[in-house]
């Protein structure tokens, strides 16, 4: 359109409008996906409002066809929880203003950005025109509040269509949110939603979950354990994980007079000493007012705080041209002088006068290590903000859904990548009611949220398939690698095998906007691999034991079942030599010898011998 | 019931043997040693042709049958069960047949334990299974089942100028009228009293036996006349062996001129290939095949020695060429009336006896596709050593060359007198037989 003016093209659009326009980005591309996404947003909010606050969740999910509606593809999705509820003054923004959230803090929750439920509300509004209905009451509140809210897309503001409140007659707290959207209950939507709820149930054995489908089918997952995962604590961000926006926002809101105080107050593990070191490296006076920092100073500060990043050093190879190592480092790494660059290069065993672009990957890695000496050292990011499920809950959850004969789980020690703490958990379930398949059935979770799509891009998939690196994955016969990997642990496919992976972190490294698969981060891959090996070894031990037991049982039966006949027969000959008591003696002796031979209790052999009937 | 003293003795011997061998097993068990049986292996690979004694014997291999070996447990149980049945019969003065034994031992073993699938199996299912266990007992105890008074149907018959003691009775085998004495299943219990005979003639066919008997052959020629009525049973073989062994009588076998007849001769002489353990007591290595020979029918001029040179080892061809030539007993016309065409099965059997190379050297142009296929299937078969003699190779060579077989009746057709007074006596006199 030639007539469109520049101004019109770059017009500012509100976040609400943005999501109304690009609904696929939030997962509302078609009615079937929209149904699934809506259920997800509501359920995850409901769980955040309960288990993150120490409440054993009771969640009810109802999808129905609204009686009043003329269209057959309209569905009402209602999710009720027994959570902390929402104070009435926040309800309009929570449901009517995109990017409004109570979870903007450094701790692990399912929702994070204040986006989720509003995307669903916008979708509902655009397809059926219906507002969201919210009934909520906080703990200790005497009243129950009721709202119907729409969103003013242009202004990104809530429109309260209706509101009211009444006295609580019973001790109830929690939230009921209800949305009517244009949806789909076809085969694929149904499968996806049921799978989502089932997988949610796997990691929430401490929750009662009821799901009523539009066809009035009821799924009930009963609570099997009364223990909650420890609620995540709020922590300050770790300096390695910060970015420019974060520092700029901080400067805007801080009440501190000096940059140093600002850093000490707001960053994890940063005391006076580290703050001073960092500011010196960045060439900033520690006592400077935060508001007086120049853009360049802010950039340098962020660079120093984030520390030496090997990735950045690699990327640098492409932009430094004919520069030597010493030049490239001193000119590009904040706070590193020419002499220091030379010292670091030598320490790394590299001639400082070589061309920087010609360094090998290993040399860059050693160089990065040597350079770290000049930068502040931090403690590893605190993992208190994380809320792993714990081995007991994973085991309980796998049991409740799969009824396996063997189950094991492991929670790895906290670790960190790029300043973000994370914990990997791996569970394994085998046999029982699990159907045999040609591959392991993989259940992936990030921050307790099931990841259902784009599984083959996921790092967990790679690890569970026994592939060691992305390149290898492309070249080798994947199935063969998978079979070989698992056969080390005594599993031969088809096998009844379920593997669960859970990654929790304050920042999950998703591969794309779809947020359905986790990227190849070496630190995470390592933890996944170690975790998987741990549970797989346990499985192997179990399988070996089981095989031995089965073999023993078979042997006991084979030998024991003939003992009466052999005794009887030998006695016919032997009683003429040894006398009449020989039968009893022979029998006991044979039982004893058989038990000894197989390596089991005599009692076990005797039981079978006693159960033998010999015809005549 | 009056039991013969001989039976009593045998019984007591059997009972002792069982007590000794199985008592040892019980003793071992009581001394905490796992129950194990060491049984000579009855497999073809453990069968040895003893050149010196000209018999098939069991080799030195033993089978360790351990009750605690998963794969042997059932066999072990069956062996114990069988031992108890035979022992029980011995003690109770019974004479079970192998079929009786099969039924006595066959029952169900059932494991019925709570929380376990019920398991059910029979001690044995088919008689062949229990028969095989009887054979194990025989080799384990080193005794034949007849000596354990296990009976089978009587098949062999004998007449002749001799008296024997069977049980507590004395029987005159020259006073059997038109009938004959049925060789009892336990010929070892027979006592030879007095004998007036010069040789033993064993006739494969019962009908020919009866003809010769009624003709008075045995009286006239001082023979002990025996028939095995087809494939010889163990009793007949043992009886013949004893006549040869103990009385020094030469034994002549008269059978059809076909692979089946030759095999019957082989069983008398060497033993049966699958049951080699019995040979030591049953085989008569000195038995002579008196006829009917292929050379009796066709003569020797039918053979082309030069043709044989191409495919057979020179020493064999040389030996064949040195054999005395023979004229046929039958004329061209007589022959034509009685010759039967060989079937593929016959050709296969013949190759098994004497080896593929003989067939290959002697066969003419074979048109029958089925026979050609049968021959091809036997390529590389070496043949049994006792058939690799020039005399036998000459016989079989004529068989392959003519693909014809002939029954004894063909000779008898020239008249019983011819058979009894000419054919047999002349052959004995001139030494026209093969060993
Ligand atoms: N069921 C609920 N119980 C309590 N609070 C809720 C519930 N649903 C939504 N909220 C509040 O509304 C906010 C916005 O929700 P949402 O748009 O899904 O964003 P997010 O979950 O990312 O914070 C949440 O942060 C929470 O404070
Ligand atoms: Mg949310």
């Amino acid at each position: 359109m030639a007539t469109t003016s520049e101004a019109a093209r770059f017009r500012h659009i509100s976040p609400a409008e943005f999501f109304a326009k690009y609904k696929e980005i939030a997962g509302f591309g078609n009615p079937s996906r929209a149904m699934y996404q809506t259920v997800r947003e509501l359920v995850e909010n409901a769980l955040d409002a309960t288990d993150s606050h120490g409440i054993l969740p009771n969640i009810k999910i109802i999808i129905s066809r609204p009686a009043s509606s003329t269209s057959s593809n309209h569905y009402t999705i209602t999710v009720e929880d027994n959570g902390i509820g929402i104070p009435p003054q926040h309800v309009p923004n929570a449901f009517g203003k995109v990017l409004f959230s109570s979870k903007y803090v450094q701790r692990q929750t399912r929702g994070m950005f204040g986006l989720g439920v509003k995307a669903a509300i916008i979708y509902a509004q655009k397809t059926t025109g219906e507002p969201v209905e919210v009934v909520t009451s906080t703990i200790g509140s005497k009243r129950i509040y009721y709202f119907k809210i729409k969103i003013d897309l242009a202004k990104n503001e809530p429109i309260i269509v209706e509101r009211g409140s009444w006295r609580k007659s019973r001790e109830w707290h929690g939230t009921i949110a209800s949305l009517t959207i244009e949806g789909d209950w076809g085969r694929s939507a149904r499968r996806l939603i049921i799978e989502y709820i089932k997988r949610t149930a796997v990691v929430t054995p401490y929750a009662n979950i009821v799901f009523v489908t539009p066809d009035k089918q009821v799924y009930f997952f009963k609570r099997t354990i009364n223990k909650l995962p420890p609620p995540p604590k709020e922590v300050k961000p770790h300096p390695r994980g910060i970015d420019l926006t974060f520092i700029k926002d901080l400067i805007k809101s801080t009440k501190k007079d000096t940059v140093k105080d600002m850093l000490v107050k707001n960053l994890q593990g940063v005391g006076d000493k580290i703050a001073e070191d960092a500011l010196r490296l960045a060439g900033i006076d520690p006592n400077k007012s935060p508001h007086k920092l120049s853009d360049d100073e802010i950039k340098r500060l962020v660079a120093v705080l984030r520390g030496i990043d090997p990735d950045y050093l690699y990327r640098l190879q492409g932009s430094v041209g004919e520069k030597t190592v010493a030049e490239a480092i001193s000119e590009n790494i904040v706070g590193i002088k020419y002499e220091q660059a030379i010292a670091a290069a030598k320490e790394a065993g590299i001639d400082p006068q070589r061309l920087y672009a010609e360094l090998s990957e290993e040399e860059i890695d050693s160089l990065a290590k040597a350079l770290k000496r000049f930068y502040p050292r931090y403690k590893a990011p605190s993992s208190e903000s994380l809320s792993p499920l714990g081995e007991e809950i994973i085991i309980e959850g796998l049991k409740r859904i799969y009824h396996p004969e063997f189950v094991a789980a492991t929670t790895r020690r906290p670790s960190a990548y790029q300043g973000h703490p994370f914990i990997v958990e791996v569970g394994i379930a085998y046999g029982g009611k699990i159907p045999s398949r040609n591959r392991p059935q993989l259940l992936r979770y990030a921050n307790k949220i099931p990841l259902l799509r784009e599984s083959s891009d996921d790092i967990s998939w790679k690890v569970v398939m026994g592939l060691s690196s992305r390149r290898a994955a492309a070249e080798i016969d994947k199935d063969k690698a998978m079979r070989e990997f698992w056969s080390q642990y005594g599993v031969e496919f088809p096998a009844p095998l379920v593997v669960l992976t859970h990654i929790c972190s304050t920042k999950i490294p998703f591969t794309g906007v779809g947020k359905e698969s986790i990227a190849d981060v070496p630190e995470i891959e390592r933890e996944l691999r170690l975790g998987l090996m741990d549970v797989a070894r346990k499985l192997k031990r179990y399988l070996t034991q089981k095989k031995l037991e089965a073999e023993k049982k078979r042997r006991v039966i084979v030998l024991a079942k003939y003992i009466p006949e052999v005794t009887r027969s030998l006695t016919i000959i032997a009683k003429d030599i040894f006398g009449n008591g020989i039968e009893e003696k022979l029998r006991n002796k044979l039982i004893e010898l058989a038990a000894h031979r197989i390596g089991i209790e005599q009692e076990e052999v005797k039981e079978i011998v006693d159960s033998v009937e010999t015809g005549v | 019931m009056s039991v013969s003293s001989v039976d009593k003795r045998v019984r007591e011997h059997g009972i002792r043997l069982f007590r000794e061998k199985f008592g040892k097993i019980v003793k071992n068990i009581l001394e905490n040693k796992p129950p194990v049986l060491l049984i000579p292996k009855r497999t073809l690979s453990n069968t040895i042709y003893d050149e010196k004694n000209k018999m098939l014997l069991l080799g030195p291999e033993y089978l360790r049958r351990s009750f605690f070996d998963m794969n042997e447990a059932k066999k072990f149980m069956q062996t114990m069960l069988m031992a108890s049945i035979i022992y029980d019969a011995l003690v109770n003065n019974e004479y079970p047949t192998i079929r009786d034994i099969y039924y006595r031992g066959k029952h169900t073993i059932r494991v019925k334990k709570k929380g376990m699938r019920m398991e059910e199996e029979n001690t044995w299912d088919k008689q062949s299974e229990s028969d095989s266990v009887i054979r194990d007992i025989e080799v384990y105890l080193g005794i034949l089942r007849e000596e354990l008074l296990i009976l089978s149907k009587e098949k062999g018959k004998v007449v002749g100028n001799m008296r024997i003691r069977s049980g507590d009775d004395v029987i005159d085998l020259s006073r059997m009228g038109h009938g004959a004495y049925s060789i009892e299943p336990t010929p070892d219990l027979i006592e030879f009293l007095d004998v007036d005979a010069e040789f033993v003639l064993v006739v494969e066919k019962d009908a020919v036996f009866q003809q010769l008997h009624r003709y008075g052959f045995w009286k006239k020629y001082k023979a002990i006349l025996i028939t095995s009525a087809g494939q010889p049973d163990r009793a007949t073989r043992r009886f013949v062996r004893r006549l040869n062994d103990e009385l020094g009588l030469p034994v002549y076998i008269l059978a059809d001129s076909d692979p089946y007849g030759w095999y019957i001769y082989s069983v008398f002489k060497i033993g049966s290939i699958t049951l080699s353990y019995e040979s030591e007591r049953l085989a008569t290595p000195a038995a002579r095949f008196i006829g009917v020979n292929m050379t009796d029918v066709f003569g020797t001029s039918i053979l082309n020695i030069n043709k044989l040179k191409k495919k057979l080892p020179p020493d064999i061809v040389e030996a064949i060429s040195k054999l005395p030539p023979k004229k046929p007993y039958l004329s061209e016309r007589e022959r034509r009336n009685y010759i039967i065409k060989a079937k593929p099965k016959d050709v296969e059997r013949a190759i098994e006896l004497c080896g593929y190379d003989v067939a290959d050297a002697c066969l003419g142009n074979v048109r029958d596709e089925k026979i050609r296929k049968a021959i091809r299937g036997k390529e590389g078969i070496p043949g049994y050593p006792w058939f690799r003699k020039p005399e036998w190779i000459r016989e079989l060579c004529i068989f392959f060359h003519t693909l014809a077989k002939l029954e004894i009746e063909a000779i008898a057709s020239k008249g019983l007198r011819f058979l009894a007074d000419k054919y047999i006596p002349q052959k004995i006199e001139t030494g026209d037989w093969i060993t």
Side-chain angles (χ1 to χ4, degrees):
Chain A
M1 276 186 260
T3 51
T4 316
S5 72
E6 286 282 300
R9 243 200 278 171
F10 289 98
R11 180 176 66 93
H12 171 83
I13 96 168
S14 91
E17 233 172 343
F18 176 83
F19 282 108
K21 229 174 164 151
Y22 301 104
K23 42 186 199 282
E24 7 359 276
I25 289 183
F28 292 82
N30 60 54
S32 146
R33 292 280 293 142
M35 281 277 268
Y36 161 65
Q37 198 64 35
T38 304
V39 169
R40 255 186 89 151
E41 296 298 351
L42 293 176
V43 168
E44 277 153 26
N45 281 348
L47 286 169
D48 273 346
T50 46
D51 68 4
S52 302
H53 298 274
I55 300 169
L56 289 169
N58 291 327
I59 311 280
K60 203 190 282 173
I61 307 147
I62 300 168
I63 305 181
S64 60
R65 298 190 176 85
S68 54
S69 174
T70 45
S71 261
S72 63
N73 58 352
H74 286 189
Y75 293 88
T76 299
I77 299 152
T78 305
V79 175
E80 174 179 343
D81 64 61
N82 58 337
I84 53 169
I86 312 160
Q89 67 274 24
H90 293 316
V91 173
N93 278 339
F95 289 90
K97 189 180 178 74
V98 177
L99 298 181
F100 181 93
S101 168
S102 61
K103 305 170 194 167
Y104 265 134
V105 286
Q106 289 288 319
R107 70 169 198 169
Q108 175 204 320
T109 45
R110 295 175 179 83
M112 292 271 217
F113 305 103
L115 195 67
V117 78
K118 272 78 82 178
I121 295 169
I122 291 168
Y123 177 80
Q125 199 164 308
K126 293 209 49 157
T127 53
T128 67
E130 296 289 336
V132 61
E133 288 185 43
V134 183
V135 174
T136 186
S137 181
T138 55
I139 301 171
S141 161
K142 299 238 176 339
R143 301 191 74 77
I144 294 175
Y145 298 88
Y146 160 73
F147 291 87
K148 276 191 183 177
I149 295 164
K150 280 192 169 182
I151 299 175
D152 182 332
L153 295 181
K155 288 200 206 130
N156 186 23
E157 289 290 347
I159 304 166
I160 299 169
V161 181
E162 226 182 288
R163 69 183 296 166
S165 76
W166 58 88
R167 282 190 67 80
K168 254 202 266 197
S169 56
R170 57 185 175 110
E171 255 324 301
W172 179 80
H173 56 84
T175 304
I176 306 168
S178 188
L179 274 168
T180 300
I181 64 166
E182 185 183 300
D184 176 25
W185 189 245
R187 257 171 64 102
S188 68
R190 192 180 323 161
R191 259 192 27 217
L192 196 60
I193 290 169
I194 291 171
E195 187 63 19
Y196 167 76
I197 291 172
K198 191 171 135 189
R199 292 218 186 169
T200 300
V202 170
V203 288
T204 55
Y206 49 78
N208 278 324
I209 299 176
V210 178
F211 172 41
V212 184
T213 72
D215 320 311
K216 300 282 179 285
Q217 245 184 311
V218 180
Y219 292 79
F220 176 41
F221 300 96
K222 194 169 160 34
R223 175 180 301 130
T224 58
I225 183 172
N226 283 322
K227 184 186 153 179
L228 284 167
K233 292 208 182 78
E234 199 177 308
V235 294
K236 299 178 205 169
H238 192 275
R240 267 200 228 291
I242 59 149
D243 57 16
L244 214 53
T245 335
F246 174 81
I247 293 289
K248 282 183 175 166
D249 285 349
L250 197 57
I251 291 170
K252 259 187 236 157
S253 63
T254 188
K255 293 185 182 91
K256 295 289 172 188
D257 295 331
T258 67
V259 211
K260 184 181 126 188
D261 286 351
M262 178 186 79
L263 295 182
V264 171
K265 167 102 208 299
N266 291 293
L267 291 177
Q268 191 190 124
V270 175
D272 286 348
K273 168 91 174 48
I274 289 181
E276 277 163 26
D277 284 355
L279 287 165
R280 186 171 36 73
L281 274 170
I284 301 167
D285 174 3
N287 292 318
K288 196 166 184 174
S289 160
H291 305 285
K292 296 218 173 103
L293 291 174
S294 70
D295 272 2
D296 189 50
E297 281 175 321
I298 294 176
K299 261 192 208 151
R300 296 162 65 83
L301 178 59
V302 169
V304 171
L305 286 173
R306 289 180 60 101
I308 302 292
D309 175 8
D311 263 352
Y312 176 69
L313 293 185
Y314 296 136
R315 269 181 274 128
L316 210 52
Q317 286 191 304
S319 58
V320 292
E322 302 277 276
K323 295 247 160 77
T324 65
V325 174
E327 288 164 351
I329 294 300
S330 58
E331 287 168 25
N332 288 286
I333 306 298
V334 178
I336 302 291
K337 301 198 181 66
Y338 192 77
E339 300 76 45
Q340 290 174 319
I342 288 178
K346 285 189 176 156
E347 193 184 317
I350 299 164
D351 176 357
Q353 302 312 325
R354 274 175 62 197
L355 288 186
Y356 183 77
E358 285 172 1
L359 295 186
S360 72
E361 266 185 45
E362 292 83 63
E363 284 172 323
I364 298 240
D365 283 339
S366 345
L367 189 58
K369 230 180 183 170
L371 283 168
K372 279 190 179 148
R373 189 160 60 83
F374 301 103
Y375 267 55
R377 281 186 185 282
Y378 309 117
K379 278 207 211 119
S382 156
S383 57
E384 286 192 328
S385 55
L386 301 181
S387 172
L389 295 159
E391 293 168 7
E392 197 183 342
I393 286 176
I394 295 176
I395 288 172
E396 204 49 53
L398 285 169
K399 274 194 200 160
R400 125 156 131 167
I401 305 298
Y402 293 98
H403 307 285
E405 63 174 81
F406 172 83
V407 56
T410 183
T411 299
R412 297 284 308 162
R413 299 256 299 280
S415 183
Y417 77 95
Q418 296 161 24
H420 308 292
F422 72 91
I423 290 177
V424 162
E425 299 184 287
V426 184
I428 201 164
Y430 185 91
K433 290 196 179 156
I434 303 172
S436 274
R437 297 197 185 178
N438 285 324
R439 289 177 163 193
Q441 196 183 334
L442 174 61
L443 316 175
R444 297 172 300 123
Y445 296 87
N447 288 345
K448 299 178 192 157
I449 300 174
L451 307 179
L452 293 178
R453 298 171 65 248
E454 298 166 20
S455 65
S456 58
D457 291 340
D458 192 282
I459 180 72
S460 296
W461 181 248
K462 208 177 89 179
V463 171
V464 170
M465 289 292 283
L467 306 172
S468 48
S469 78
R470 189 125 292 213
R471 208 179 308 126
E475 281 165 13
I476 57 179
D477 176 347
K478 284 188 193 177
D479 246 38
K480 196 168 154 245
M482 187 275 289
R483 282 165 191 276
E484 275 167 16
F485 173 80
W486 281 103
S487 111
Q488 300 171 69
Y489 296 102
V491 178
E492 304 295 342
F493 287 92
L497 178 68
V498 170
V499 176
L500 178 154
T501 59
H502 180 214
I503 293 153
C504 48
S505 176
T506 46
K507 183 167 189 283
I508 302 278
F510 287 111
T511 51
V513 283
K515 294 198 167 181
E516 293 277 9
S517 70
I518 294 173
D520 262 356
V521 174
E523 291 90 339
I524 295 182
E525 177 177 341
R526 192 186 120 84
E527 286 298 310
L528 275 169
R529 197 174 299 287
L530 292 173
L532 182 66
M533 276 158 59
D534 186 30
V535 291
R537 269 196 300 269
K538 286 183 185 143
L539 173 62
K540 183 187 183 159
R541 224 169 299 142
Y542 169 76
L543 290 176
T544 313
Q545 198 58 35
K546 185 181 157 186
K547 232 193 198 155
L548 276 175
E549 290 295 320
E551 178 65 17
K552 261 189 194 170
K553 264 220 176 93
R554 212 175 63 83
R555 292 184 52 173
V556 178
I557 292 171
V558 167
L559 300 190
K561 74 175 163 201
Y562 298 136
I563 288 182
E565 184 64 68
V566 167
T567 307
R568 196 187 61 82
S569 295
L570 276 175
T571 301
I572 290 177
I573 303 172
K575 68 172 187 320
D576 295 347
I577 316 167
F578 299 90
N580 272 330
I582 192 68
E583 173 146 28
E584 186 71 16
K585 260 194 228 162
L586 254 179
R587 200 177 94 112
N588 293 341
K589 213 65 198 176
L590 282 173
I591 290 174
E592 185 189 323
L593 288 171
H596 179 75
R597 172 66 172 255
I598 304 163
I600 55 164
E601 292 297 316
Q602 284 185 38
E603 207 36 52
E604 257 183 87
V605 182
K606 194 167 176 308
E607 256 174 47
I608 297 188
V609 170
D610 288 342
S611 72
V612 174
E613 290 172 11
T614 310
V616 277
Chain B
M1 167 172 136
S2 92
V3 177
S4 78
S5 55
V6 194
D7 274 11
K8 241 187 212 155
R9 234 183 28 247
V10 170
R11 251 179 228 293
E12 276 156 19
H13 175 67
I15 290 170
R16 261 200 313 280
L17 207 55
F18 269 103
R19 288 198 187 155
E20 180 195 314
K21 289 277 209 166
F22 287 87
K24 181 95 179 88
I25 294 174
V26 174
K27 196 156 158 277
N28 280 344
I29 294 172
L30 296 179
E31 285 168 5
N32 287 321
K33 289 181 204 140
V36 175
L37 290 170
L38 273 180
I39 305 177
K41 266 194 190 164
R42 292 195 282 108
T43 56
L44 205 54
S45 64
N46 192 36
T47 298
I48 295 175
Y49 177 59
D50 178 353
E51 276 288 350
K52 200 171 122 245
N53 296 308
K54 310 254 182 280
M55 284 186 276
L56 281 174
L57 298 175
L58 277 184
E61 288 172 42
Y62 276 80
L63 176 89
R64 236 184 102 82
R65 181 167 293 165
S66 162
F67 181 39
F68 291 152
D69 177 335
M70 301 284 283
N71 303 316
E72 297 282 347
K74 181 163 191 183
K75 275 274 185 186
F76 185 93
M77 176 275 290
Q78 290 178 330
T79 314
M80 296 304 122
L81 172 59
M82 183 57 77
S84 75
I85 296 169
I86 299 174
Y87 178 82
D88 196 53
L90 283 172
V91 172
N92 289 305
N93 288 323
E94 290 181 62
Y95 299 87
T97 65
I98 53 176
R99 186 131 189 97
D100 293 335
I101 288 177
Y102 160 67
Y103 281 121
R104 282 187 201 185
K106 183 180 176 185
H107 53 248
T108 307
I109 293 178
R110 201 175 282 123
V111 187
K112 226 167 148 187
K113 190 166 165 272
K114 244 199 253 150
M116 219 185 71
R117 202 163 35 87
M118 185 173 82
E119 275 195 38
E120 219 177 36
E121 77 184 290
N122 287 336
T123 46
W124 45 61
D125 286 302
K126 287 183 294 195
Q127 193 186 326
S128 59
E129 252 183 284
S130 67
D131 285 355
S132 153
V133 184
I134 294 178
R135 277 179 225 124
D136 284 340
I137 296 269
E138 288 184 297
V139 293
Y140 182 62
L141 297 181
I143 195 170
L144 292 178
R145 64 166 190 256
E146 289 79 9
E147 297 168 274
L148 297 171
L149 299 173
I150 297 167
L151 305 185
S152 41
K153 215 172 120 196
E154 291 168 350
K155 230 172 125 199
K157 291 192 289 187
V158 57
V159 283
N161 219 337
M162 77 185 286
R163 286 186 312 130
I164 59 169
R165 195 195 309 278
S166 173
D168 290 335
D169 298 326
V170 173
I171 298 159
D172 189 341
L173 299 191
S174 64
R175 301 179 154 275
M176 307 302 295
H178 285 166
Y181 174 70
S182 285
I183 301 171
E184 56 176 274
T186 53
D188 275 297
L189 308 186
I190 292 174
E191 193 185 335
F192 297 146
L193 295 177
D194 48 288
V195 182
D196 182 17
E198 277 166 13
F199 65 93
V200 177
L201 181 68
V202 180
V203 189
E204 170 195 346
K205 290 217 162 108
D206 193 8
V208 177
F209 169 86
Q210 288 184 43
Q211 286 171 341
L212 289 174
H213 179 23
R214 285 176 188 242
Y215 186 75
F217 176 86
W218 56 270
K219 268 186 208 136
K220 198 164 173 188
Y221 294 97
K222 289 199 159 193
I224 305 288
L225 189 62
I226 293 177
T227 181
S228 62
Q231 185 69 256
D233 63 9
R234 308 207 310 186
T236 310
R237 286 156 61 199
R238 179 65 188 151
F239 189 74
V240 168
R241 159 70 177 269
R242 285 192 62 198
L243 289 174
N244 181 249
D245 236 22
E246 294 168 30
L247 305 176
L249 298 175
V251 171
Y252 298 94
I253 313 278
L254 181 63
D256 284 345
S257 183
D258 61 19
Y260 187 69
W262 300 326
Y263 183 69
I264 285 178
Y265 163 71
S266 172
V267 170
F268 270 113
K269 179 184 165 73
I270 307 293
S272 114
I273 293 166
T274 48
L275 299 173
S276 58
Y277 66 93
E278 338 155 303
S279 306
E280 216 171 326
R281 310 180 47 95
L282 303 184
T284 308
R288 298 160 174 179
F289 184 78
I290 194 170
V292 178
N293 291 23
M294 295 305 280
T295 46
D296 295 340
V297 180
F298 292 97
T300 50
S301 58
I302 192 168
L303 273 183
N304 179 349
I305 295 286
N306 285 332
K307 197 180 146 208
L308 298 187
K309 281 183 184 152
K310 283 187 215 150
K311 307 228 163 134
L312 285 176
D315 53 326
I316 291 183
V317 180
E318 162 103 31
I320 293 174
S321 68
K322 283 199 181 133
L323 292 174
K326 281 175 66 179
K327 281 207 197 84
Y329 282 86
L330 297 184
S331 70
E332 175 81 44
R333 232 195 46 224
E334 288 165 333
R335 201 187 295 156
R336 230 184 287 134
N337 284 337
Y338 289 97
I339 278 179
I340 306 169
K341 263 176 69 192
K343 300 203 173 71
K345 189 83 212 149
D346 293 319
V347 177
E348 281 178 3
R349 275 231 190 92
I351 295 176
E352 279 163 22
L353 294 179
C354 72
Y356 177 79
D357 53 353
V358 176
D360 194 31
C362 303
L363 277 161
N365 234 347
V366 182
R367 295 230 186 78
D368 187 330
E369 177 52 41
K370 276 189 200 136
I371 290 186
R372 282 217 299 267
K373 209 175 132 203
I375 296 167
R376 255 181 278 130
K378 293 285 169 189
E379 204 172 325
I381 296 278
Y384 299 121
W386 55 94
F387 275 106
R388 299 288 290 183
K389 290 183 168 176
E391 292 89 342
W392 275 117
I393 291 181
R394 187 165 75 172
E395 290 294 315
L396 277 127
C397 200
I398 296 172
F399 168 77
F400 289 123
H401 181 73
T402 57
L403 286 179
K405 48 183 199 171
L406 227 125
E407 300 184 311
I408 314 178
E409 282 90 336
I411 303 284
S413 72
K414 282 183 71 134
L416 189 53
R417 184 172 288 162
F418 171 74
L419 177 68
D421 290 337
K422 179 148 193 237
Y423 183 76
I424 301 173
Q426 189 177 331
K427 290 199 78 169
I428 293 180
E429 213 160 293
T430 58
D432 184 11
W433 30 258
I434 311 176
T435 55

